[in-house]
Amino acid sequence: GLIVGVILRYGTPATSGHDKSLSCTQEDRAFSTLLVNVSGKFFEYTLKGEISPGKINSVEQNDMLRKVTFDPEVFFNILLPPIIFHAGYSLKKRHFFRNLGSILAYAFLGTAVSCFIIGNLMYGVVKLMKLVGQLSDKFYYTDCLFFGAIISATDPVTVLAIFNELHADVDLYALLFGESVLNDAVAIVLSSSIVAYQPAGLNTHAFDAAAFFKSVGIFLGIFSGSFTMGAVTGVVTAAHVTKFTKLHCFPLLETALFFLMSWSTFLLAEACGFTGVVAVLFCGITQAHYTYNNLSVESRSRTKQLFEVLHFLAENFIFSYMGLALFTFQKHVFSPVFIIGAFVAIFLGRAAHIYPLSFFLNLGRRHKIGWNFQHMMMFSGLRGAMAFALAIRDTASYARQMMFTTTLLIVFFTVWVIGGGTTPMLSWLNIRVGVEEPSEEDQNELRRQYIRVGVDPDQDPPPNNDSFQVLQGDGPDSARGNRTKQESAWLFRLWYSFDHNYLKPILTHSGPPLTTTLPAWCGLLARCLTSPQVYDNQEPLREEDSDFILTEGDLTLTYGDSTVTANGSSGSHTASTSLEGSRRTKSSSEEVLDRALGIGDQPVSS
């Protein structure tokens, strides 16, 4: 992008003459469209924006540069939705929900803290620029807050790509990925709320309590409305269409409708005054949780590949255009003081975002967020496509043009310098890498072969061929053993039970039949909503990343020459473990197994 921008900027000559300035003294406002009569021929002109009087003679006359300048709405309405939808659709729910509380704290509270810290620091920088005479136009406090909102949108795409390649710690990956996904949504709505801040009276930039609370209400209303619309659209349209029709017999049509319904979520949200990008994010999460289970095998593969390709193309296009815009954008405002102040502000804002929140989160977490994780999260605060798209959306005023130029330089620096230093930083902080996750096929095969008692199902299988492993001692693996139970808040447990017993059977072909979970007087409704596949499937469908929750009769453990089941019976067998028809209901399998083995609370070694 940078190379092409240099060629277009300095290698192509101007191809049109200077525009002639005409005065319309009788008009008190600008028109969006003009019809001009030139010697009996009418020509239509559209409004491009206001030009300050001192820059009339410096308007760009290079037609090539004008052609490569895209409408900013293209980024927001066409390129961002596939990126955000893919983030939700490819979300690894197991890791995400295990750290849900921490992710929500970082994304909501952390982004708000970062926005206000950066905004206030930049307001001080603006005051300093005014004192030294480097501010040539108006720059209000609300502009500083707006800059804080858009630059708080992190996009650690480089870091996450390296994490994925090196197979870094799954919890660190989940914290960074989950925060970046939700924090983009928060930054969009937060910036919209700041723009909507309109105090009463003549001074439209003074503090007004009523206007402040109105902006807070707008933030909550837009975010909750977008969340609801995305989730409801994903459930009602896609899940029901794919479950109660024969679309699975036509994979191409099924994939096309899945894509169109997902995209319609964005359009519907925008039409209703909400934020389409936020709606698409939660639509993607909902589609992955429910609709994915109803798709045919061919459509599952197609939809994942389709959105992966669209995400890859859109993100690469945006990053290429960033390099292009550094030379082809016609309204850059380079201010060294503002740029240096912005780098300092985002560093301090990120530090105030990560370290205090991690301290308070660790007070309630069993599995603490270590200092090395905190340092890595602090280091991984890259800015990318979302910050660029928010900054380029409005470049009409002097303040917005300065913000856009600064945002562009911040994105370049963080992606190149910080992104390039990810691997050395992982090594320096002693963060474990090389923990490779098996493929979906390998995971399904491994589930049939063994289940490790007391070990988090998120943990990857051991590299050796041992068929039995007990991790119940006092070591670090023991602390990691029941991490799912320790990390899952009571709210998530309640939601999981409701989802498994009612929503999954209604919306998908998996889960227990509604005839067994609903009251007897709802029998007719339960039979109507439960698909025949639920009765036909002896082994209900399960998601690739769902946790194992066993009943007492589900577990068979063999060690040495004796076989012990959860109900206490034993026999002769070789050393192996097996899982027979697991059902996802709560039980005390581990305790029963301990009593059967006669080990109680004593430490166990393999």
Side-chain angles (χ1 to χ4, degrees):
L2 285 171
I3 293 171
V4 174
V6 170
I7 294 172
L8 290 176
R9 180 69 181 178
Y10 301 107
T12 55
T15 55
S16 62
H18 288 284
D19 294 336
K20 184 178 179 181
S21 178
L22 300 176
S23 298
C24 299
T25 55
Q26 297 179 354
E27 304 299 334
D28 58 353
R29 63 185 178 85
F31 295 97
S32 59
T33 305
L34 282 180
L35 290 176
V36 180
N37 185 351
V38 181
S39 302
K41 295 182 178 179
F42 287 89
F43 299 88
E44 182 182 8
Y45 294 83
T46 55
L47 179 68
K48 294 204 70 173
E50 183 181 357
I51 303 172
S52 59
K55 296 184 177 180
I56 289 179
N57 295 324
S58 62
V59 175
E60 183 56 62
Q61 299 301 316
N62 192 324
D63 283 344
M64 179 60 73
L65 296 186
R66 286 184 173 180
K67 288 177 182 177
V68 299
T69 303
F70 288 89
D71 184 347
E73 293 302 315
V74 169
F75 294 97
F76 226 78
N77 296 330
I78 297 177
L79 296 176
L80 278 183
I83 295 175
I84 300 299
F85 183 87
H86 177 262
Y89 193 55
S90 63
L91 189 71
K92 294 185 177 180
K93 296 181 291 298
R94 187 174 36 163
H95 308 310
F96 180 82
F97 285 115
R98 190 170 64 193
N99 297 281
L100 181 63
S102 301
I103 290 172
L104 291 176
Y106 286 128
F108 284 87
L109 191 57
T111 304
V113 168
S114 176
C115 168
F116 283 98
I117 287 179
I118 293 174
N120 284 283
L121 289 174
M122 293 313 298
Y123 189 61
V125 171
V126 168
K127 288 294 185 183
L128 177 63
M129 292 172 62
K130 193 173 183 180
L131 286 176
V132 299
Q134 290 198 11
L135 198 66
S136 58
D137 209 338
K138 296 177 181 179
F139 208 118
Y140 297 105
Y141 179 67
T142 49
D143 293 326
C144 296
L145 285 180
F146 179 80
F147 178 72
I150 64 174
I151 210 65
S152 294
T154 60
D155 185 17
V157 56
T158 310
V159 175
L160 292 176
I162 294 173
F163 279 11
N164 195 48
E165 186 71 22
L166 298 178
H167 305 290
D169 189 280
V170 289
D171 281 328
L172 178 60
Y173 185 95
L175 286 171
L176 271 176
F177 181 76
E179 181 213 352
S180 68
V181 168
L182 291 180
N183 133 297
D184 285 350
V186 173
I188 294 171
V189 183
L190 194 58
S191 60
S192 302
S193 304
I194 293 170
V195 171
Y197 177 76
Q198 293 292 338
L202 298 177
N203 190 353
T204 57
H205 295 277
F207 178 76
D208 186 303
F212 172 76
F213 286 110
K214 182 181 177 181
S215 292
V216 173
I218 290 173
F219 173 83
L220 296 175
I222 291 178
F223 195 93
S224 59
S226 302
F227 166 78
T228 304
M229 182 161 291
V232 169
T233 307
V235 166
V236 173
T237 59
H240 276 74
V241 167
T242 54
K243 177 180 178 180
F244 295 110
T245 65
K246 296 292 184 180
L247 274 177
H248 62 273
C249 300
F250 310 94
L252 185 60
L253 179 61
E254 188 180 33
T255 305
L257 284 177
F258 181 90
F259 175 82
L260 292 174
M261 289 175 180
S262 303
W263 194 279
S264 67
T265 305
F266 174 85
L267 302 175
L268 186 61
E270 289 289 333
C272 294
F274 298 118
T275 304
V277 174
V278 179
V280 159
L281 168 65
F282 291 104
C283 176
I285 296 174
T286 307
Q287 301 275 42
H289 190 57
Y290 297 115
T291 315
Y292 184 79
N293 290 329
N294 297 338
L295 298 176
S296 62
V297 175
E298 192 173 349
S299 293
R300 292 186 190 185
S301 175
R302 279 180 175 176
T303 54
K304 277 193 173 294
Q305 292 173 358
L306 171 65
F307 286 109
E308 188 174 1
V309 169
L310 290 176
H311 159 264
F312 181 79
L313 291 174
E315 196 156 61
N316 276 277
F317 182 87
I318 290 179
F319 274 97
S320 298
Y321 189 77
M322 284 184 201
L324 200 69
L326 187 62
F327 294 99
T328 60
F329 184 69
Q330 303 169 23
K331 303 173 184 177
H332 278 305
V333 178
F334 289 95
S335 173
V337 176
F338 191 85
I339 292 169
I340 295 172
F343 274 99
V344 175
I346 63 171
F347 177 81
L348 295 177
R350 183 71 178 172
H353 169 180
I354 295 296
Y355 295 116
L357 273 180
S358 299
F359 171 77
F360 288 111
L361 288 171
N362 280 338
L363 297 178
R365 284 178 63 107
R366 298 285 184 87
H367 184 65
K368 310 298 182 186
I369 302 173
W371 282 107
N372 56 344
F373 278 23
Q374 295 179 40
H375 295 328
M376 194 66 221
M377 293 179 70
M378 168 72 191
F379 181 80
S380 302
L382 281 70
R383 271 62 176 179
M386 182 59 69
F388 173 79
L390 287 171
I392 201 176
R393 200 174 190 187
D394 181 7
T395 56
S397 66
Y398 168 81
R400 297 296 175 87
Q401 292 164 11
M402 187 185 293
M403 289 181 209
F404 174 70
T405 303
T406 306
T407 301
L408 210 53
L409 295 176
I410 289 173
V411 170
F412 287 159
F413 178 84
T414 56
V415 170
W416 281 341
V417 177
I418 298 180
T422 301
T423 305
M425 184 62 70
L426 282 171
S427 177
W428 186 60
L429 293 175
N430 294 320
I431 294 174
R432 91 182 157 151
V433 294
V435 186
E436 185 170 358
E437 288 200 355
S439 63
E440 291 182 10
E441 293 79 7
D442 293 339
Q443 287 178 355
N444 293 332
E445 183 63 26
L446 286 170
R447 284 191 179 98
R448 299 186 191 100
Q449 292 177 356
Y450 76 95
I451 176 66
R452 289 177 292 162
V453 180
V455 179
D456 178 26
D458 237 15
Q459 196 66 26
D460 301 309
N464 54 32
N465 294 322
D466 295 342
S467 58
F468 178 71
Q469 184 178 13
V470 176
L471 298 175
Q472 292 280 64
D474 297 328
D477 288 326
S478 173
R480 195 181 298 120
N482 289 317
R483 186 161 55 187
T484 301
K485 293 182 178 180
Q486 295 169 352
E487 294 299 323
S488 298
W490 66 270
L491 184 61
F492 175 62
R493 289 173 175 272
L494 189 65
W495 157 254
Y496 179 86
S497 177
F498 177 76
D499 177 61
H500 175 66
N501 291 327
Y502 303 105
L503 293 184
K504 277 290 184 70
I506 292 175
L507 302 175
T508 70
H509 301 303
S510 60
L514 288 172
T515 51
T516 62
T517 57
L518 287 176
W521 54 271
C522 296
L524 180 61
L525 179 65
R527 286 191 294 273
C528 292
L529 294 178
T530 303
S531 64
Q533 287 90 331
V534 174
Y535 300 103
D536 296 339
N537 293 336
Q538 294 182 357
E539 184 177 355
L541 296 175
R542 67 164 63 246
E543 298 171 61
E544 291 82 0
D545 56 357
S546 59
D547 293 328
F548 280 118
I549 301 178
L550 306 177
T551 60
E552 293 182 7
D554 289 336
L555 190 64
T556 302
L557 179 67
T558 62
Y559 183 62
D561 293 328
S562 61
T563 302
V564 181
T565 60
N567 58 17
S569 61
S570 63
S572 178
H573 203 277
T574 57
S576 65
T577 58
S578 63
L579 178 64
E580 300 291 342
S582 61
R583 295 184 296 276
R584 294 160 61 182
T585 54
K586 296 183 178 180
S587 72
S588 55
S589 301
E590 288 91 351
E591 290 81 356
V592 173
L593 183 64
D594 285 348
R595 291 196 299 271
L597 290 173
I599 56 177
D601 295 328
Q602 300 174 11
V604 178
S605 60
S606 174

